[in-house]
Amino acid sequence: MIAQSQNIPCPVCSTGIPFDTKQLMMGVQFACPNCAASVGLAPESKELVQETMEKLEAAKGKTSK
Amino acid sequence: MPKVTNREFNPNFSKALDIESLISAPLVAVSKANVVMAQGQTRFLLEYCFKKNGESYEPILIQMALTKPVIDPGKAAVKAVAASAPGVMPVVEAVEATPAIPQSMQMVTTHFTLPLLTIVPLNSLAVEKVNIDFDMEITSVASKPSGSANESNNTITDRKAQLYGKVSDSGSNSERGSANQSKTLNKIKINLNAATLPLPAGVLTIIDIYTKSIQAVPTENKPEN
């Protein structure tokens, strides 16, 4: 399920593209609801995003304790 | 390193407080918890989504791939024109023509950069909703004059009721049985529902600025093997 709160503007038509970061890391491409463009994470940035998400989860764990 | 021992949580229920303090105490605690979380978010943003460059912070950028269909208009057939002398109208002969390239649609991938903080789900660090439910046992009722000093000169002075109470220990009351049933009449059931904003306006503005600045920048496509 895609979290509707997160979206990025389409670089072609500026319509908001809803996306989920975890699915983005898995290589899923998210299509613009207005035009036929689709946006995905480039493979070279996957590791960086994955590391950041792990750190975010760790920070959430620290805060909840 | 100091040794930390687990201590049992023994709240002092016997102390009576005014109703405002009893209600506001858990809300203040939630607010403080949100401040701690906001500080954690800011620290996280500066540490992992920005890199320090001298005195300023620069956002860490990630590569995104944009795939969109592009229609290739193709080429119409062109007839060969025979060369002629200058000033003389050329004579078109239908002898040779380049073959027409039909219209086609291709998927073109373009790369663009995006600040990392725009895809990190930061709002999940905030307290979303608070439900506080407790019984308040009223210990005393007082009244105090309300309004400013000028208003107190009036003959009719408004007096504001002030309730004092303590958090009711409902478990022990039920054990007492019917002997103290009259005490239950002095109880108020307090149910608080509080929700917080997803993110502070400042953080939202920063994210909004970076999100709006998305511009597709074509990069060199590496030849596929």
Side-chain angles (χ1 to χ4, degrees):
Chain A
M1 181 135 183
I2 302 165
Q4 291 297 312
S5 57
Q6 266 198 297
N7 61 62
I8 49 170
C10 174
V12 181
C13 68
S14 300
T15 309
I17 306 173
F19 74 98
D20 179 65
T21 314
K22 283 177 184 171
Q23 289 182 34
L24 204 66
M25 283 191 302
M26 286 189 285
V28 176
Q29 290 216 330
F30 293 90
C32 173
N34 188 42
C35 64
S38 59
V39 169
L41 186 67
E44 52 262 42
S45 293
K46 191 184 164 187
E47 201 179 331
L48 176 66
V49 176
Q50 203 156 4
E51 272 177 30
T52 312
M53 286 300 287
E54 280 168 13
K55 284 164 188 168
L56 180 74
E57 290 298 321
K60 278 163 77 177
K62 262 187 208 173
T63 316
S64 63
K65 276 177 191 174
Chain B
M1 199 172 168
K3 196 179 176 183
V4 179
T5 53
N6 285 334
R7 290 177 188 170
E8 277 187 24
F9 176 63
N10 286 320
N12 187 6
F13 288 117
S14 59
K15 195 180 177 185
L17 291 164
D18 59 302
I19 191 164
E20 289 91 346
S21 301
L22 276 172
I23 291 171
S24 63
L27 295 177
V28 168
V30 169
S31 175
K32 280 182 180 173
N34 263 335
V35 168
V36 172
M37 285 182 191
Q39 284 173 343
Q41 281 174 2
T42 312
R43 209 177 306 124
F44 181 86
L45 273 174
L46 293 175
E47 207 169 323
Y48 300 117
C49 297
F50 286 86
K51 58 183 171 191
K52 201 172 182 185
N53 187 10
E55 290 294 308
S56 61
Y57 284 90
E58 286 179 2
I60 295 172
L61 300 170
I62 55 163
Q63 285 272 325
M64 297 289 284
L66 170 77
T67 311
K68 61 175 181 176
V70 174
I71 298 166
D72 189 355
K75 283 179 184 171
V78 179
K79 287 177 184 176
V81 179
S84 58
V88 179
M89 284 290 285
V91 180
V92 177
E93 294 173 12
V95 283
E96 279 181 39
T98 52
I101 300 167
Q103 200 177 40
S104 63
M105 195 171 76
Q106 289 179 336
M107 296 303 280
V108 175
T109 303
T110 317
H111 287 88
F112 65 98
T113 53
L114 191 72
L116 177 62
L117 75 147
T118 56
I119 66 156
V120 177
L122 278 169
N123 56 349
S124 58
L125 278 172
V127 174
E128 201 173 86
K129 203 176 176 185
V130 184
N131 285 311
I132 299 156
D133 198 355
F134 65 93
D135 290 336
M136 180 188 162
E137 194 178 320
I138 300 162
T139 53
S140 61
V141 181
S143 66
K144 61 175 185 181
S146 65
S148 60
N150 291 338
E151 286 171 353
S152 62
N153 293 333
N154 296 337
T155 48
I156 301 167
T157 310
D158 290 334
R159 293 192 75 81
K160 192 179 170 186
Q162 185 76 41
L163 291 175
Y164 290 90
K166 58 185 182 181
V167 176
S168 173
D169 192 1
S170 56
S172 58
N173 270 355
S174 61
E175 285 168 13
R176 282 176 208 160
S178 59
N180 282 341
Q181 263 187 352
S182 61
K183 273 206 164 184
T184 57
L185 296 171
N186 301 330
K187 277 184 188 173
I188 294 177
K189 197 171 179 66
I190 293 168
N191 184 270
L192 299 174
N193 286 308
T196 55
L197 291 170
L199 267 181
V203 179
L204 279 174
T205 309
I206 292 168
I207 293 173
D208 195 41
I209 288 166
Y210 282 117
T211 309
K212 279 178 182 168
S213 68
I214 294 170
Q215 283 180 345
V217 179
T219 56
E220 279 182 32
N221 280 331
K222 290 174 187 172
E224 288 177 10
N225 293 329

